Amino acid sequence: MRAQERRGGLWRRVTAAVPAPRRPGPRTAAPAAPRPVFHTAPRPALRPVVWQPPPRPPRAKDQVSRVPLPPLTLYPLGGRGPEHVTLDAAGRVLTGVADGRILRLDPDSGRVETVVRTGGRPLGLQPLPDGRLLVCDADRGLLRADPADGSVETVLRTAAGAPLRLCSNAVTASDGTVYVSDSSGRFGLRDWKGDLLEHSGTGRLIRYEPGGGAEVVLKGLQFANGVALAPDESCVIVAESGAYRLTRLWLTGSRAGHSDVLAGDLPGFPDNLSTGPDGLVWVALAGARDPLVDALHRSAPPLRRAAWSLAMPLLPQRLTDPRRTAWVVAVDGSGRVVHDLQRRTKDYRMVTSVCTDGRTLYLGSLTEGAVARAELPAAPTARAGP
């Protein structure tokens, strides 16, 4: 009986978060009924795995850091969803948007130009020494594109006999080896929330050697997302968004081939990663941890299946629309947080990527129509601690 009461209470919390329809006032016409949401293809059925999340850290409750993220300057792109940002050799920002274009932004002039059309949905970008780009395309796998002529070629579509269901992010080592994340073996980009809700751990980190084959070097990851290399290439780091942690795979030395947690119990969902000029690993936190989401993970599978069966607009807003804050952190080689920068903002939310030239931070977002820029504080901004 107590278990049933707990499940009933959780379900009431889920449904209570759905906004009630507004009643028209005496002189206000009734609003038009919302159009039903139809999907062009059925969503995968949810196979929930019960998980006991680590305790939510107090920092997850705040919406502003001790030293706030400096004010943002926005660069409108004429496209939606610059999910990943990176810098080319000339200091220009490269990003991909939902309509398949890869854009190049000159921060000095604000000029935006289309350099490539992938025909899919570009996510992570990795500049190559010869001026070309590796492109993680959610629809087409790992691509190589040339901004000079707009050409696109396929590099990798499968690994270990399985397709790249959600090719997310990539980084290249000095010898040309590519490490690429495949976020989920079950859910594509349209249904990415299902992977977080299910918590079945089907993400992978793949090593690809040009001219050779592809090898899965880490599996069972909880929504494998951003990827970064240590400055000395002793390890590769992958964000597990669904487990609130950064996982490290050692590449050299006596620990080569072994993995451990670089930073765990993060206060938010880690998304894309980048390595700054000073060796710090920058982490975009797409949203803060939420007690309701943690409660759903602890709940019996039928409750999560019921939540998943609802049309997405009926799910609690905080499950699908993070609080309107912009949040990034930076960690050193020991996992210690050196920078913690967050601010409330009405104009920019769900920061999914961050990169820096050492003076300026550039932010990208899966949901916004602009790239954001902020000055990087000179001194560490995280609260000192043991």
Side-chain angles (χ1 to χ4, degrees), residues 77 79-85 94-104 114-126 133-145 152 166-170 189 272 352-353 365-366:
L77 298 173
R80 180 65 55 180
E83 193 269 347
H84 183 256
V85 290
L94 296 166
T95 190
V97 289
D99 62 12
R101 290 178 297 151
I102 296 175
L103 308 176
R104 185 165 58 202
T114 299
V115 293
V116 173
R117 298 178 185 271
T118 70
R121 198 333 178 173
L123 298 174
L125 306 177
Q126 172 62 44
L133 289 171
L134 284 178
V135 181
C136 293
D137 192 290
D139 300 327
R140 300 184 57 194
L142 185 64
L143 311 175
R144 185 164 43 234
V152 179
L166 182 44
C167 185
S168 179
N169 202 238
L189 181 61
N272 284 308
T352 52
S353 61
S365 167
L366 181 64

Side-chain angles (χ1 to χ4, degrees), residues 66-67 280 336-341 377-383:
R66 183 179 65 89
V67 176
L280 294 178
R336 181 178 65 93
V337 177
V338 177
H339 287 287
D340 179 357
L341 296 166
T381 57
R383 187 184 302 275

Side-chain angles (χ1 to χ4, degrees), residues 11-25:
W11 182 248
R12 284 192 293 272
R13 289 168 59 197
V14 170
T15 55
V18 179
R22 296 177 58 187
R23 292 191 175 188

Side-chain angles (χ1 to χ4, degrees), residues 295-306:
L296 282 170
H297 280 136
R298 290 189 294 266
S299 70
L303 181 59
R304 271 183 281 167
R305 283 196 290 267

Side-chain angles (χ1 to χ4, degrees), residues 134-359:
L134 284 178
V135 181
C136 293
D137 192 290
D139 300 327
R140 300 184 57 194
L142 185 64
L143 311 175
R144 185 164 43 234
D146 191 344
D149 60 13
S151 60
V152 179
E153 59 181 320
T154 299
V155 175
L156 189 66
R157 291 293 300 269
T158 64
L164 274 65
R165 180 81 62 183
L166 182 44
C167 185
S168 179
N169 202 238
V171 68
T172 55
S174 56
D175 64 356
T177 301
V178 180
Y179 294 91
V180 57
S181 60
D182 184 20
S183 295
S184 173
R186 296 201 353 95
F187 298 89
L189 181 61
R190 188 196 69 177
D191 299 314
W192 65 267
K193 301 180 189 75
D195 191 275
L196 296 181
L197 194 61
E198 181 176 89
H199 201 80
S200 56
T202 59
R204 305 183 292 173
L205 181 67
I206 299 160
R207 176 165 55 206
Y208 170 74
E209 297 181 2
E215 174 190 8
V216 177
V217 291
L218 285 177
K219 61 182 180 179
L221 301 177
Q222 297 292 344
F223 203 84
N225 211 324
V227 184
L229 278 168
D232 61 359
E233 300 189 358
S234 60
C235 63
V236 60
I237 303 152
V238 58
E240 290 190 76
S241 300
Y244 314 124
R245 69 189 176 207
L246 307 182
T247 295
R248 170 174 53 190
L249 174 66
W250 292 98
L251 304 177
T252 62
S254 61
R255 292 174 288 184
H258 295 278
S259 63
D260 58 13
V261 175
L262 172 64
D265 298 344
L266 295 172
F269 293 90
D271 207 292
N272 284 308
L273 310 178
S274 64
T275 305
D278 56 3
L280 294 178
V281 174
W282 283 89
V283 186
L285 293 179
R289 285 184 56 178
D290 190 285
L292 178 56
V293 178
D294 284 351
L296 282 170
H297 280 136
R298 290 189 294 266
S299 70
L303 181 59
R304 271 183 281 167
R305 283 196 290 267
W308 181 241
S309 69
L310 295 173
M312 265 304 166
L314 298 183
L315 284 174
Q317 183 176 1
R318 57 190 177 185
L319 283 175
T320 58
D321 185 13
R323 294 180 297 189
R324 288 194 173 271
T325 68
W327 195 359
V328 298
V329 300
V331 301
D332 63 16
S334 68
R336 181 178 65 93
V337 177
V338 177
H339 287 287
D340 179 357
L341 296 166
Q342 183 185 22
R343 72 180 292 113
R344 295 189 187 93
T345 170
K346 297 185 297 183
D347 302 320
Y348 212 79
R349 65 179 176 87
M350 198 177 182
V351 172
T352 52
S353 61
V354 55
C355 66
T356 182
D357 58 7
R359 304 180 306 277

